[in-house]
Amino acid sequence: MHHDHDAAHEAHDTDRLWKLIKDMRFGMFTTRHENGHLHSRPMTTQNRRGDTDDSLWFFMSRSSEPFADLQREPQVNVGYADPGSDSYVSVSGVAEPVEDAQQRKALWSSMNEAWFPNGPDDPDVALVRVRITHADYWDVKQSKVVQLFKMAKAAVTGHPPTDMGDRGQVRMH
């Protein structure tokens, strides 16, 4: 019985994760540079609304720093934030280039032409999959007034605020 509850809870968390990500098209894609430093840059998540598997998809230049970084160290993180709705997601995963012309064309949109004017067949365009291994999300549904009240109360009492919204973790593998 306990196992079924865990599976149901995990399915709910996975569903919640995708609902949050689909509204946050831009993520901060973090790689480890050759000098060991972590480097982050904004990237557009290419997943469509119906994509709810264990992967995030990105296009990047094969000659770019992030592409070189993930070739050396495939462990990456993608952070998403929507401060307006108080939703935040941190995704850890393993990045790899995928040679799949059909998937490239399926994920391609005219928005990508701003960065890649030669289209999806440009040999410099790499399709990169990030297989999600772990994700954390925070989704606050309370009004700003309620949040401020709870934080003010916490400051006075010395006890951290509680019940500030949904917090979840998802393990894909």
Side-chain angles (χ1 to χ4, degrees), residues 118-133:
N118 296 324
D121 296 324
D122 182 337
D124 183 52
V125 176
L127 176 61
V128 173
R129 169 195 289 159
V130 175
R131 288 188 187 272
I132 301 170
T133 54

Side-chain angles (χ1 to χ4, degrees), residues 60-62 104 108 115-126:
M60 59 181 70
S61 167
R62 290 181 190 277
R104 283 161 72 102
W108 191 263
W115 289 274
F116 304 107
N118 296 324
D121 296 324
D122 182 337
D124 183 52
V125 176

